[in-house]
Amino acid sequence: MSLLQDLLGKDFVCDQCGKRHVVKLLDVRFGAGALAEVPELCQRHGGKRVGLIHDCRTRDIAGAKVAELLAKAGCDVAELLVPDPAPEHVPVCDDLTHDALAAKLPKADIYVAVGSGVINDLTKWLAGDAQKPYISVATAASMNGYASANVAPTLKGVKSLVRGAEPVAIVSVPSLLAAAPAKMTAAGLGDVLAKPVSSADWQLNRLVFDEYYCPFCAGTIDDIEPIYMDNPGAIGSGSETGIGALFEALILTGISMTMAGTSSPASGGEHLVSHTLDMMSSVDGVPHDFHGRQVGVSTILGAALYEELAALENPVFKVPDSPSDPAFWGFLAPSVESYHEKKRARVAAAIAEFRRRPGLWDEVRATLAPQLRSAARLKDCLRRAGAAHRYTDLGIGRDRYLAALLHAHEIRERFTVLDLARMAGILPARAGELVDRWLAD
Ligand SMILES: [Zn+2]
Ligand SMILES: [Zn+2]
């Protein structure tokens, strides 16, 4: 049995971290006839009154079909169409959209989301508010949030984290995922490739601050990773096997975050750069690329920073930071500074730990090395899959990417490779050189 099937509905005390891990996801149905199983899943996990949430694109792809199957099975289906905010604009997950949908949310025993990132996040959030279960019908292997309870909405312009409902079931059809836009699948690959680098950041926090860390949660996709990493062309060409493996890895990544009770197993410094690009867009009102594409590009750089750090024999750590720059952050400045203030204290504490424990640096290098993947291998994988691996792929220039890289550590308290690289003087001094070497072409 695969690890994924084995983990469904499990509630166990982990022999690797001692913590109780609970997986509320009970069913994953992935196959040609999987949509036909939605009515039975709804009735088993909720009831006959079903609230179906989709947008005009995902309704055409699968939503209308699911509604028809539910009605045929005797369910009482109320559809909620998430409107496009403007012509040519797709919906976003923010407080305004949430509030507008909440006012129209049909009463139901169970909700079904048909879509990928935004539709799932909104449904997770609304079902969580209503304290009802929800089922995810995934239309693209584009992100790792399917199995998690975390919602990442923009609240008053600031990228935030809200707890919603985790799905009781995830359903998808291989041909549906293979037919999704290649750009979306490539985004999923970028998000999943981040895991080794994010998990290294997580382990770093254990080593330096003695914080909670679980090797089992960090390693959930180790066995699947070679399927897409050794054969990224299968993702690029839309092979159902390659995309199926990617989809399974994305679900397992979501489960690992839920089990750990933190996003740390799959969200480190590379995610902060992506969030910063999103926030820069909300400050200057220009669009940004998909989450997973920004994450993939930044994962190459995160791995490169770890390689530069690993080469240092005796780094001299310095407190690098002055307060965050209000001119850069615009209306977000006060909220960013509140995080950055905590971050500065954290960096100072890290430096004190390295001074206090002379063997710590070598322990960090030795422990993280086997966990990481090389920047060259990550870049090659993204390139061969037809995914974003240069800043120009994200529709931005060198200066904008550099600005995100140099400000990303300010937005969260979480200690990552970005902070370690700043303490060691690699950032900001060599930022331009590394971006040119790894992300220019
Ligand atoms: Zn554990
Ligand atoms: Zn992500």
Side-chain angles (χ1 to χ4, degrees):
M1 190 186 261
S2 72
L3 175 62
L4 174 58
Q5 290 298 329
D6 195 33
L7 281 172
L8 298 177
K10 281 282 155 63
D11 181 338
F12 63 103
V13 175
C14 177
D15 58 10
Q16 298 193 39
C17 74
K19 182 178 156 141
R20 182 177 162 207
H21 294 319
V22 182
V23 181
K24 290 190 185 145
L25 178 66
L26 300 171
D27 271 305
V28 173
R29 304 288 172 88
F30 185 57
L35 292 188
E37 299 175 40
V38 174
E40 174 240 318
L41 290 169
C42 284
Q43 291 177 51
R44 184 184 324 158
H45 298 304
K48 278 185 178 279
R49 285 186 314 162
V50 182
L52 181 67
I53 301 176
H54 47 198
D55 68 9
C56 60
R57 286 156 294 275
T58 62
R59 178 186 57 196
D60 293 349
I61 293 165
K65 171 89 181 155
V66 171
E68 186 192 317
L69 289 162
L70 284 164
K72 252 192 210 155
C75 292
D76 179 7
V77 192
E79 291 181 47
L80 180 59
L81 190 77
V82 181
D84 287 354
E88 318 266 319
H89 282 74
V90 295
V92 291
C93 181
D94 63 9
D95 37 7
L96 297 176
T97 312
H98 166 269
D99 296 350
L101 293 172
K104 294 188 292 185
L105 187 73
K107 286 221 175 328
D109 304 318
I110 189 162
Y111 293 94
V112 175
V114 180
S116 56
V118 170
I119 300 295
N120 264 275
D121 263 17
L122 288 166
T123 308
K124 223 184 268 294
W125 194 358
L126 293 162
D129 292 348
Q131 299 190 316
K132 293 290 178 191
Y134 107 94
I135 292 175
S136 168
V137 176
T139 55
S142 55
M143 52 109 207
N144 64 23
Y146 286 117
S148 88
N150 292 336
V151 184
T154 306
L155 302 179
K156 296 191 173 61
V158 183
K159 199 86 183 158
S160 309
L161 203 63
V162 169
R163 203 168 166 80
E166 24 185 317
V168 286
I170 298 174
V171 177
S172 196
V173 177
S175 61
L176 207 73
L177 297 184
K183 212 176 158 178
M184 297 188 79
T185 312
L189 181 66
D191 211 12
V192 92
L193 284 186
K195 195 167 192 308
V197 177
S198 333
S199 289
D201 281 351
W202 191 24
Q203 173 86 273
L204 174 67
N205 281 272
R206 177 187 76 82
L207 294 164
V208 177
F209 300 111
D210 197 24
E211 285 184 353
Y212 171 73
Y213 173 82
C214 170
F216 177 65
C217 294
T220 45
I221 61 169
D222 288 357
D223 291 344
I224 309 181
E225 199 187 57
I227 303 177
Y228 48 85
M229 210 149 173
D230 297 344
N231 187 16
I235 306 282
S237 64
S239 118
E240 289 184 13
T241 319
I243 293 176
L246 172 62
F247 187 55
E248 192 172 340
L250 288 166
I251 295 175
L252 277 168
T253 304
I255 290 178
S256 69
M257 293 191 273
T258 307
M259 289 193 302
T262 157
S263 61
S264 296
S267 173
E270 75 297 324
H271 270 69
L272 297 187
V273 179
S274 172
H275 295 333
T276 302
L277 287 165
D278 293 356
M279 288 163 74
M280 287 164 70
S281 286
S282 72
V283 170
D284 35 80
V286 298
H288 58 76
D289 206 332
F290 290 132
H291 169 80
R293 289 169 56 85
Q294 297 179 160
V295 167
V297 168
S298 306
T299 298
I300 300 169
L301 206 88
L305 286 172
Y306 268 122
E307 284 165 22
E308 298 296 329
L309 284 159
L312 302 177
E313 288 304 328
N314 280 306
V316 178
F317 293 127
K318 292 200 186 77
V319 179
D321 272 331
S322 44
S324 51
D325 176 7
F328 176 80
W329 289 108
F331 76 97
L332 299 173
S335 114
V336 168
E337 179 52 26
S338 71
Y339 285 106
H340 190 226
E341 200 181 352
K342 291 181 196 148
K343 172 58 74 63
R344 292 195 294 276
R346 201 144 164 85
V347 168
I351 292 174
E353 279 305 307
F354 278 106
R355 289 204 180 118
R356 195 172 69 79
R357 292 151 60 192
L360 181 57
W361 179 244
D362 286 334
E363 191 189 352
V364 165
R365 290 197 294 174
T367 311
L368 299 189
Q371 207 165 335
L372 286 157
R373 305 289 175 269
S374 77
R377 190 158 175 230
L378 291 163
K379 185 170 178 79
D380 181 60
C381 177
L382 288 164
R383 181 195 280 132
R384 283 165 59 203
H389 61 95
R390 301 166 287 213
Y391 52 78
T392 46
D393 295 332
L394 306 176
I396 58 175
R398 180 182 187 269
D399 288 351
R400 194 170 176 87
Y401 188 83
L402 261 179
L405 176 65
L406 293 178
H407 288 278
H409 66 287
E410 296 171 3
I411 65 167
R412 293 278 160 86
E413 197 180 339
R414 179 168 295 178
F415 187 78
T416 73
V417 66
L418 300 174
D419 301 298
L420 198 59
R422 293 181 78 82
M423 282 162 46
I426 293 170
L427 293 180
R430 297 181 49 214
E433 172 207 329
L434 290 170
V435 166
D436 292 342
R437 188 192 318 160
W438 290 104
L439 305 181
D441 58 32

